[in-house]
């Protein structure tokens, strides 16, 4: 028990240090952006019609004249007290905006995360059980194709087929156009979220399927499986009794580690479908030079990703105690 607590404690400390590094990197990259906040959000024509006092007020609002160390340390001090600042574009607290947008994205992310895990595990087990035969070649070819396909291109393709040609699902947004958000039913929201969630699910399948296939191949070549075949057990019995049981936990740990892929893909997918989620808010904040909002989204999403990796590391420690003991000594 002490080893587990020590292992988890070290991981948490590393996660906090990584969050600090991520926030600093995002701040420096945003500060080095060639976009001028005033020209981007106000416009060159409007700036030309303003007085010097008005321009100075805008520069103070966007923090143009504030030294970079002062800006970052001021944000960090507020963040440590639970205040991520106020969005410069939306003029609302960053935590409020993140809560609203994350609520929209959460359904997409959870559905895509669960479906990609189920499909990836199932396909990986089938490919490993039929190694070298046509199901294995078909699944491997499909996974390699999907893993090399950009998420935004796949989203555009699915949008063209299922929305434009077939008309089965809406082309975008999270609610019907012209309808008050409070009067939208759950089925209508689900109807708008089907295609973005399906796109994210497809993009997250390949890594889990290929990893599970390799584990399944090792199981099928093990001595106890050869002995089971000698006893006359059917392939179905071997896969269910020996294969699934031995590859399930490694697949689950990999599934928790794949949170970053789902969140990263959601940024592009939400842009294609104009879905008002956290990914679209991050793009808007970046293009609009909204530093507090972008830093808040970066830190929150990084914490979710690191949390998934932490769970994966803890599960690996359960699977193989040598990993936990080795990490505790380091």
């Amino acid at each position: 028990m002490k080893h587990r607590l020590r292992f988890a404690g070290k991981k948490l400390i590393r996660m906090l240090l990584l969050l600090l590094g991520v926030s600093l990197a995002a701040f420096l990259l945003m500060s080095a952006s060639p976009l001028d906040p005033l020209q981007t959000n106000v416009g060159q024509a409007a700036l030309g019609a303003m007085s010097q006092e008005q321009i100075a007020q805008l520069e103070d609002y966007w923090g143009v004249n504030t030294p970079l160390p002062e800006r970052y340390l001021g944000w960090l001090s507020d963040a440590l007290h639970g205040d991520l600042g106020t969005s410069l574009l939306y003029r609302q607290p960053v935590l409020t905006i993140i809560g609203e947008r994350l609520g929209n994205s959460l359904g997409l992310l959870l559905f895509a995360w669960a479906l990609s895990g189920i499909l990836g595990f199932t396909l990986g087990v089938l490919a490993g059980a039929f190694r070298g035969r046509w199901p294995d070649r078909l699944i491997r070819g499909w996974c390699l194709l999907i893993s090399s396909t950009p998420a935004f291109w796949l989203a555009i393709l699915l949008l063209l087929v299922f929305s434009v040609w077939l008309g089965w699902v809406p082309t975008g947004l999270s609610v019907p156009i012209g309808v008050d958000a409070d009067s939208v039913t759950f089925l209508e929201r689900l109807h708008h979220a089907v295609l973005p969630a399906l796109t994210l699910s497809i993009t997250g399948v390949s890594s889990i399927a290929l990893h599970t296939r390799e584990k399944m191949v090792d199981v099928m070549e093990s001595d106890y499986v050869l002995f089971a075949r000698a006893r006359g057990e059917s392939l179905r019995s071997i896969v269910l009794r020996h294969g699934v049981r031995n590859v399930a936990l490694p697949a689950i740990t990999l599934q928790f580690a794949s949170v970053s892929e789902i969140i990263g893909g959601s940024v592009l997918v939400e842009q294609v479908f104009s879905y008002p989620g956290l990914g679209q808010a991050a793009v808007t904040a970046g293009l609009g030079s909204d530093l507090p909002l972008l830093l808040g989204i970066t830190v929150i999403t990084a914490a979710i990703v690191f949390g998934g990796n932490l769970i994966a590391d803890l599960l690996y420690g359960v699977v193989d105690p040598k990993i936990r003991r080795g990490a505790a000594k380091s």
Side-chain angles (χ1 to χ4, degrees), residues 74-85 93-96 300:
W75 175 87
L76 182 61
S77 176
D78 293 337
L80 293 176
H81 291 86
D83 181 13
L84 295 180
V94 170
L95 287 176
T96 301
I300 295 297

Side-chain angles (χ1 to χ4, degrees), residues 249-301:
L249 196 52
I252 291 174
T253 55
L254 182 64
Q255 176 69 2
F256 279 101
S258 68
V259 173
S260 59
E261 298 180 9
I262 299 295
I263 294 180
S266 68
V267 175
L268 299 175
V269 171
E270 287 180 2
Q271 281 295 109
V272 173
F273 292 100
S274 299
Y275 197 86
L278 200 61
Q280 190 184 56
V283 175
T284 302
L287 296 177
S289 301
D290 192 342
L291 185 60
L293 180 57
L294 185 63
L295 285 178
I297 294 175
T298 302
V299 170
I300 295 297
T301 53

Side-chain angles (χ1 to χ4, degrees), residues 53-65:
E53 291 77 9
Q54 291 174 325
I55 295 177
Q57 290 178 355
L58 286 176
E59 289 177 346
D60 291 338
Y61 178 77
W62 291 97
V64 175
N65 298 324

